Amino acid sequence: MPRHTVQVNIEPWAGEALRSKAAYLAARVDQEYAAKMYVAETLPTRAERRAALAALYAERIRRRRAGELLDTASALFEHGLRREVEARGWQRRRFRAAPEGLVEMPGRRPGSTDNPAAPRFHRRRRRGDEPPAPVPEWSDSMAFTVAPELARLVRDAVTAVTADQVAAVQTGLRDRVMTTGDVWRAAIYRVTADWYPGHDLVVPDRVDA
C-alpha cells in the first residue's frame, strides 16, 4: 500500500534537530551494513550481485517500517508519531471516520493558527483573559511519509476530539483548536527531545484535547 505523505510546518531549530539526528542514525546504519554490502558487491556474477544487494535493501526497508531502524527523517517522524498517539491514548479508542468532504475542503478549520500571521484572537479580549501566547515561527517545512492507517487515525482522532473546540471558536468562547499540524509537530518535538541535551530552547506548549 502506498505511503501517506504529510507536510509539516515547524520551527527551524526543530527541523534542524530532526535532520541532524536522522543523518547521524543513517550513518550508523550504513556502517552496520557496510560489511554485508561489500560481500554482496564481490559476488562473481552481476545477477548474484544485484540479487544480494536487492535483498539487503529490502531487509533495511522492512526493518525501518517495523520501527527497528530510524535511519531516515520519515522513519524518525513515524516513530515519534506512534509514541505521541500512544501518549494520547488514541490507539485504544475507536473514532468515527472523519467526513471526507470536511477533511478535503479547502481552507483552514476555525481556530487554526497554522498561519503564523493569523490573528490569535477572534473576539475582543475581556478583563481576566490570559495574555495571548506568542505565535511560533513555523518557517521551516518538512515532508514525511507514514503508514496510511496511522495518518488516518490521527485525522479521525483530531476531528472527533476537537468537535466541541470548533463549536466554541465559532461562538466566540475559544480562540483556537488543536489541529493535525499540532500533532505532527508534537511528534517531532518528542523524537528530537534527546538530541540537544540542556538546550535553552523551550518546546512550545501543545494544544491538547
Side-chain angles (χ1 to χ4, degrees):
M1 181 180 294
R3 305 272 289 170
H4 182 83
T5 300
V6 170
Q7 191 77 30
V8 184
N9 295 325
I10 192 72
E11 297 90 343
W13 61 266
E16 177 189 351
L18 185 65
R19 292 184 183 95
S20 177
K21 185 173 182 178
Y24 171 76
L25 293 176
R28 290 185 58 180
V29 174
D30 286 343
Q31 188 174 22
E32 174 188 341
Y33 274 85
K36 296 179 181 178
M37 296 287 285
Y38 175 78
V39 171
E41 290 169 349
T42 56
L43 290 174
T45 69
R46 182 178 180 182
E48 289 177 311
R49 291 193 296 271
R50 286 178 60 83
L53 289 171
L56 288 174
Y57 279 112
E59 175 188 306
R60 190 161 170 171
I61 291 171
R62 178 190 59 75
R63 292 181 63 194
R64 183 182 300 137
R65 292 185 176 173
E68 298 173 15
L69 297 182
L70 303 178
D71 58 336
T72 67
S74 287
L76 265 177
F77 174 75
E78 182 166 328
H79 177 68
L81 187 57
R82 290 188 184 280
R83 289 171 56 193
E84 185 65 23
V85 165
E86 291 172 3
R88 293 173 184 266
W90 288 349
Q91 84 284 3
R92 297 187 298 273
R93 296 178 58 184
R94 282 179 169 269
F95 296 99
R96 179 179 298 178
E100 290 295 334
L102 178 64
V103 171
E104 302 300 333
M105 68 185 296
R108 308 300 307 170
R109 300 181 72 202
S112 169
T113 58
D114 273 12
N115 174 9
R120 190 69 182 173
F121 280 80
H122 301 273
R123 62 168 171 80
R124 186 182 299 277
R125 295 189 61 214
R126 305 186 180 105
R127 181 178 298 178
D129 281 344
E130 294 184 2
V135 177
E137 295 182 5
W138 296 326
S139 56
D140 195 359
S141 183
M142 302 184 70
F144 307 99
T145 60
V146 299
E149 64 273 11
L150 179 59
R152 191 179 309 114
L153 170 59
V154 172
R155 182 195 69 178
D156 293 346
V158 169
T159 301
V161 302
T162 60
D164 291 342
Q165 295 179 7
V166 172
V169 166
Q170 292 172 326
T171 57
L173 298 177
R174 188 184 178 100
D175 72 301
R176 77 157 300 190
V177 302
M178 178 179 64
T179 66
T180 52
D182 290 315
V183 181
W184 306 145
R185 281 181 286 276
I188 294 176
Y189 303 147
R190 182 178 289 275
V191 83
T192 57
D194 63 341
W195 195 237
Y196 287 143
H199 203 280
D200 59 356
L201 289 170
V202 178
V203 174
D205 289 337
R206 297 181 315 185
V207 179
D208 290 312

